[in-house]
Amino acid sequence: MDLTWSDDEEAFRAEARAWLQENLAAWRDRHDGRILSGDTAEGFAQHLDWERTLFDGGWAVVSWPEAHGGRAASRWEWLIFEEEYYRAGAPPRITQNGIFLLAPTVFEYGTAAQQDHILRRMARGDDLWCQGWSEPDAGSDLASLSSRARRDDERGGWVLDGQKTWTTRGAFCTHLFGLFRTDPDSERHRGLTYLLVPLDLDGITVRGFGRLDGDEGFAEVFLDGAFLPDDALPGGPVLGEVGAGWSVAMATTSSERGLTLRSPGRFTATADRLADLYRERGGRDPALRDRVVQAWMHAEAYRLQTLQTVTADADGHPAGARSSLVKLWWSELDVALHETALDILGPDAELDGPWTKGWQFALSGPIYAGTNEIQRNIAAERVLGLPRK
């Protein structure tokens, strides 16, 4: 593994840094410097303005082919862009569920017609995708889901019934991707189909609800006999093959747990800000100093491990089940970074300050994308080869 960036990669970094500096300042000026949470209706619209600025500048999906709105950057250049993005203090991507979770699966399983229609509209922010995984009785145990899709050949489509919940930003999105049971006699991970569903169909009700931090970023999606026609999307609404949705979904969960959703730039930038906070507010407490150092080193180790993962992937060794280890790493690192910051701030930690807000979000990391308890089981059985208990 060569850790030296080439001249071309350094030039790419300089271009990204300059563009972010100029355009972030302009975006903030357009909104009078008042930047809202992307998990509120008003904030979502504000952040969508930023997403379209990224697309117009050619930076929304740097690693995608140019035909789909990208600039055909290498995986290494994508990591460089992510480092610069978070170093610049750019906002979280409200399109992340589409760009970082669904899109890799569309590239792998989608037909040419599906790719041509979905990807560019996704990158431009025309269609906004949310994930329909969790249900009231099926969260981390995804195979126990009960939402159904019944084939209606006479009308040419699918009839959807059921309920999805904990749908991140679902109240603000236009489309949902999710798993549905299409074989009523099947059990567990068999007989499932991966469907792409416009949320404006008759029979679909989307109801947002608040989170612990007060933002209304979650939603419930109720499907009551909603008819999903075969021509709802060019290429059809089925991603992969009917009844083979589980294997398609596993590609999405690998992206969710792996590095595409949580690139190291996010954490190294936070670790740098934590070190700055300690220098400003930490005094001379040696215990706090050691925690800051440990957190910074863990963030840097995560970055190095990611470079190793990308190297292995380029050599034909995809992460597979080892993405569960990546998920454990970034989710627990995020909690440690923010808890250390709050301990430095002590009573000065404001209830709605950025570190408190970040800590509230970090607490959800060990739960979403499959709880860490489930990830430890996967790592034990599929990575270490230990027997099922």
Side-chain angles (χ1 to χ4, degrees):
M1 183 172 69
D2 185 357
L3 297 180
T4 305
W5 300 115
S6 68
D7 290 344
D8 287 344
E9 289 163 342
E10 291 291 3
F12 180 88
R13 182 187 296 279
E15 181 185 0
R17 181 176 295 185
W19 187 90
L20 285 165
Q21 183 176 7
E22 177 183 351
N23 286 276
L24 272 171
W27 176 67
R28 292 182 177 117
D29 287 345
R30 283 201 299 277
H31 298 282
D32 299 325
R34 181 171 173 262
I35 306 305
L36 306 172
S37 167
D39 289 324
T40 64
E42 186 180 1
F44 190 88
Q46 183 188 70
H47 286 235
L48 187 57
D49 174 42
W50 170 244
E51 292 286 345
R52 287 172 175 158
T53 300
L54 282 171
F55 180 83
D56 291 342
W59 296 100
V61 285
V62 296
S63 61
W64 291 13
E66 294 179 6
H68 298 310
R71 55 173 60 203
S74 69
R75 183 65 69 87
W76 306 107
E77 289 171 329
W78 173 75
L79 285 169
I80 289 171
F81 175 70
E82 289 282 297
E83 287 183 354
E84 293 302 320
Y85 189 88
Y86 287 104
R87 179 177 291 140
R93 303 290 301 274
I94 59 167
T95 53
Q96 65 179 17
N97 281 345
I99 290 174
F100 297 132
L101 301 187
L102 175 60
T105 314
V106 172
F107 276 116
E108 184 173 355
Y109 288 94
T111 64
Q114 287 174 324
Q115 292 177 1
D116 288 344
H117 175 76
I118 294 172
L119 294 171
R120 193 172 185 86
R121 291 182 60 80
M122 177 192 295
R124 198 164 49 205
D126 295 338
D127 295 336
L128 299 159
W129 292 84
C130 59
Q131 184 186 60
W133 260 203
S134 296
E135 299 183 0
D137 296 317
S140 292
D141 184 14
L142 182 61
S144 65
L145 64 84
S146 59
S147 287
R148 303 177 303 282
R150 175 174 53 83
R151 185 66 194 165
D152 186 337
D153 285 329
E154 185 174 339
R155 288 193 287 172
W158 300 88
V159 179
L160 309 180
D161 287 286
Q163 179 187 351
K164 303 292 184 179
T165 192
W166 307 114
T167 307
T168 302
R169 303 190 185 100
F172 318 132
C173 289
T174 60
H175 291 69
L176 173 145
F177 59 93
L179 279 182
F180 293 81
R181 192 165 297 284
T182 47
D183 180 353
D185 299 322
S186 66
E187 295 182 350
R188 302 295 294 169
H189 58 278
R190 298 178 180 83
L192 301 172
T193 298
Y194 198 121
L195 293 177
L196 308 171
V197 183
L199 287 171
D200 60 355
L201 299 177
D202 289 341
I204 293 182
T205 302
V206 181
R207 186 172 68 192
F209 63 92
R211 303 185 312 203
L212 175 66
D213 62 5
D215 292 349
E216 63 268 32
F218 285 151
E220 296 173 298
V221 180
F222 299 91
L223 306 120
D224 184 14
F227 181 65
L228 174 63
D230 290 337
D231 60 359
L233 299 168
V238 176
L239 189 58
E241 297 181 6
V242 173
W246 185 257
S247 59
V248 185
M250 289 304 98
T252 304
T253 58
S254 178
S255 298
E256 185 177 24
R257 294 163 186 167
L259 62 90
T260 54
L261 183 64
R262 293 288 177 258
S263 64
R266 173 192 179 103
F267 305 105
T268 52
T270 304
D272 286 342
R273 284 196 282 272
L274 179 66
D276 291 340
L277 180 69
Y278 178 78
R279 282 190 283 267
E280 295 168 4
R281 305 287 295 274
R284 296 181 178 274
D285 186 330
L288 273 178
R289 179 197 60 203
D290 289 349
R291 287 174 59 190
V292 172
V293 170
Q294 285 294 324
W296 190 93
M297 290 174 64
H298 285 166
E300 187 63 19
Y302 179 61
R303 174 177 177 269
L304 294 173
Q305 187 270 343
T306 299
L307 297 177
Q308 185 180 44
T309 299
V310 172
T311 301
D313 186 66
D315 291 340
H317 304 291
R322 285 183 287 114
S323 61
S324 292
L325 296 173
V326 176
K327 197 269 176 171
L328 288 167
W329 194 330
W330 62 250
S331 61
E332 295 182 359
L333 170 61
D334 207 21
V335 174
L337 286 164
H338 288 88
E339 284 187 342
T340 303
L342 293 188
D343 286 341
I344 293 172
L345 290 169
D348 292 335
E350 298 178 359
L351 290 178
D352 60 350
W355 284 108
T356 303
K357 197 80 171 177
W359 172 72
Q360 290 169 340
F361 181 78
L363 290 178
S364 65
I367 300 172
Y368 70 81
T371 67
N372 282 12
E373 288 78 7
I374 293 291
Q375 303 316 308
R376 285 189 163 84
N377 281 343
I378 293 173
E381 295 167 8
R382 302 183 195 173
V383 179
L384 299 177
L386 298 177
R388 291 176 66 90
K389 184 176 180 181

